[in-house]
Amino acid sequence: MATATDTYRVLTLDDSFEPGDGQDDADRTFARVRRKLDIEAFGSYAVRASAGSDLIRERTATGPGADGHEELYVVLGGHARFTVDGAEIDAPAGTAVFVRDVDAKRSAVALHEVTTVLLVGGRRREAWRPTPGEAIEEFWPLYKAKDYEGALAVARQGLEEYPGNALALYNIACMSSLLGSTDEAIETLGAALDAHPDFVENAREDEDFVALRDDPRFQKLVA
């Protein structure tokens, strides 16, 4: 629950957790702190998972969905184990882990049945803006509802905000394929793979590209 006045806002985290929008979020729930409190100075959300589940899946702060944010993780409850640049960090409730190096790989696993971590992030000495991942967050519910035209519009808007972003390009390619726009799908997929070659593995197996698999242009892109 959130309450607001002209001076301050209050959010009850326990009432705010909801499933994530990504396909790999089945074992995690999220409280979108920044969005619910309308924070404009920094990014923030909380994530909750049970023992043995990932709290933070391994990533850097420079991938297609990121924006080079320094990140602070605070364990609000339970117990977690962080791995940052290969170093393991035991993190019971009350522990704060700050990752300054945006290129460092970081991840966290829940060790307690209910473990909650708050993340706060922003670019050093720069005005805050949503990450590319947050900029297209509305893509996922539309995609799940098979509103491919609506999802495509969100991805295109994300690309306008982040020109050349591989995540936006990849999702434009997916929606274009599903909507039968083969040429646009091939073109934008090629641009996505140029920007982030690791997406090749995704494209090879992605069911959104079933209609393209016999196209020699697609085969060349994922070879």
Side-chain angles (χ1 to χ4, degrees):
M1 173 180 287
T3 58
T5 70
D6 291 339
T7 304
Y8 64 88
R9 294 170 183 257
V10 179
L11 178 70
T12 304
L13 283 181
D14 283 343
D15 295 336
S16 303
F17 282 94
E18 55 192 21
D21 294 323
Q23 296 179 353
D24 62 348
D25 289 336
D27 55 351
R28 301 185 292 176
T29 55
F30 296 83
R32 293 166 173 79
V33 176
R34 187 206 70 79
R35 182 166 292 187
K36 289 181 180 294
L37 294 179
D38 194 28
I39 298 170
E40 297 181 351
F42 52 85
S44 183
Y45 66 87
V47 57
R48 176 171 288 173
S50 58
S53 298
D54 289 331
L55 284 157
I56 308 297
R57 303 194 190 281
E58 186 178 81
R59 61 180 179 80
T60 69
T62 56
D67 194 31
H69 287 180
E70 295 182 345
E71 294 181 333
L72 173 67
Y73 302 88
V74 182
V75 183
L76 300 180
H79 197 149
R81 181 178 64 247
F82 284 80
T83 303
V84 180
D85 205 20
E88 290 195 353
I89 302 164
D90 185 54
T95 303
V97 178
F98 174 56
V99 185
R100 184 186 301 278
D101 184 352
V102 297
D103 291 310
K105 291 183 178 179
R106 75 289 308 267
S107 62
V109 176
L111 301 181
H112 185 271
E113 189 56 35
V114 180
T115 300
T116 305
V117 170
L118 176 71
L119 184 150
V120 179
R123 292 172 65 93
R124 193 176 189 187
R125 301 190 181 95
E126 290 187 22
W128 180 86
R129 62 177 181 174
T131 64
E134 184 174 352
I136 66 167
E137 190 174 38
E138 295 305 315
F139 172 92
W140 301 106
L142 294 168
Y143 173 69
K144 289 179 180 179
K146 301 187 185 300
D147 180 359
Y148 301 138
E149 291 184 353
L152 178 60
V154 172
R156 283 179 171 158
Q157 178 62 40
L159 189 62
E160 288 184 15
E161 296 178 25
Y162 289 90
N165 178 260
L167 182 62
L169 286 164
Y170 186 90
N171 286 315
I172 289 171
C174 288
M175 297 306 96
S176 297
S177 175
L178 290 169
L179 291 167
S181 300
T182 300
D183 290 343
E184 182 179 13
I186 293 291
E187 180 180 352
T188 51
L189 178 60
L193 299 184
D194 285 342
H196 189 64
D198 287 351
F199 276 159
V200 169
E201 296 296 329
N202 298 69
R204 285 175 183 155
E205 304 297 329
D206 199 323
E207 294 298 317
D208 292 344
F209 297 130
V210 168
L212 305 182
R213 287 181 181 164
D214 292 332
D215 191 308
R217 296 172 297 173
F218 176 80
Q219 294 170 356
K220 183 178 179 179
L221 286 175
V222 302

